[in-house]
Amino acid sequence: MAILDILKLPDPRLKQVSEPVESFDQALRDFIADLEETRLAGPGAVGIAAPQVGHFQRVVILDLSGRPKTPNHGRLVLINPEITHWEGFAMGREGCLSVPDYTGNVIRATQIRLKAQDADGVEHQYEMEGFEARAVQHELDHLDGLLFVDRVVSRRTDLYRRKVYK
């Protein structure tokens, strides 16, 4: 396994739309292992998407298992994910490994239904709410070449420089 370099804003590759995964083979499983190791090396990251490491396939890892008070499905590897239903909207603060110096307020659906394949190509369906739904929407945006800074209501009032603790 390897820790991969994370692309950071303003790298233009972050705007690239990812292609669907078609081969569920050992190369995919090896990439998922590297992507997971990269996520774990990040500061408190609950999710990572393949485009953040310059791999433009529709792969996302999400793990909210460390947040027991937050309704979640634990660690998920989501391949070719697609949101099939959206409901409700709320504003919330988001940060990103690819935008390390800022956080921002973004409006997202509060409940979603999602279908995705796992590393073996088996399709699963999930119903998600709250923070888990927000995190999935954030990661899926990466697959379509979007960052949270593209979704803040106002860059003047809803984008914040991260505090640096010494």
Side-chain angles (χ1 to χ4, degrees), residues 52-79:
Q52 291 181 274
V53 296
H55 189 94
F56 300 98
Q57 287 192 301
R58 299 185 79 79
V59 177
V60 164
I61 297 175
L62 189 73
D63 187 356
L64 276 69
S65 62
R67 301 177 68 126
K69 293 182 179 178
T70 301
N72 71 81
H73 292 85
R75 181 183 176 274
L76 297 172
V77 175
L78 304 170
I79 299 175

Side-chain angles (χ1 to χ4, degrees), residues 103-107 147-156 158-159:
T103 62
N105 289 330
V106 178
I107 296 173
L147 299 171
F148 80 86
V149 294
D150 298 316
R151 292 198 180 269
V152 294
V153 175
S154 166
R155 287 188 182 201
R156 187 173 56 80
D158 292 318
L159 195 59

Side-chain angles (χ1 to χ4, degrees), residues 84-159:
T84 59
H85 179 79
W86 312 71
E87 193 171 317
F89 293 94
M91 185 179 290
R93 185 75 62 95
E94 296 185 11
C96 181
L97 294 171
S98 293
V99 188
D101 297 332
Y102 291 91
T103 62
N105 289 330
V106 178
I107 296 173
R108 303 272 189 194
T110 55
Q111 297 178 330
I112 61 170
R113 281 189 218 124
L114 175 83
K115 69 177 182 180
Q117 293 169 283
D118 63 20
D120 296 317
V122 177
E123 186 172 302
H124 300 271
Q125 300 207 18
Y126 304 95
E127 292 193 14
M128 299 176 169
E129 63 182 24
F131 184 73
E132 185 177 45
R134 173 174 295 280
V136 164
Q137 291 169 79
H138 175 106
E139 299 306 333
L140 267 60
D141 271 354
H142 284 294
L143 305 180
D144 294 323
L146 294 170
L147 299 171
F148 80 86
V149 294
D150 298 316
R151 292 198 180 269
V152 294
V153 175
S154 166
R155 287 188 182 201
R156 187 173 56 80
T157 60
D158 292 318
L159 195 59

Side-chain angles (χ1 to χ4, degrees), residues 14-59:
L14 289 167
K15 297 294 184 186
Q16 186 172 329
V17 176
S18 295
E19 298 293 324
V21 172
E22 295 179 359
S23 297
F24 295 84
D25 55 13
Q26 187 58 46
L28 176 64
R29 286 186 279 283
D30 291 345
F31 171 71
I32 290 169
D34 289 346
L35 190 63
E36 176 69 351
E37 188 166 340
T38 303
R39 182 188 69 81
L40 292 171
V46 296
I48 191 167
Q52 291 181 274
V53 296
H55 189 94
F56 300 98
Q57 287 192 301
R58 299 185 79 79
V59 177

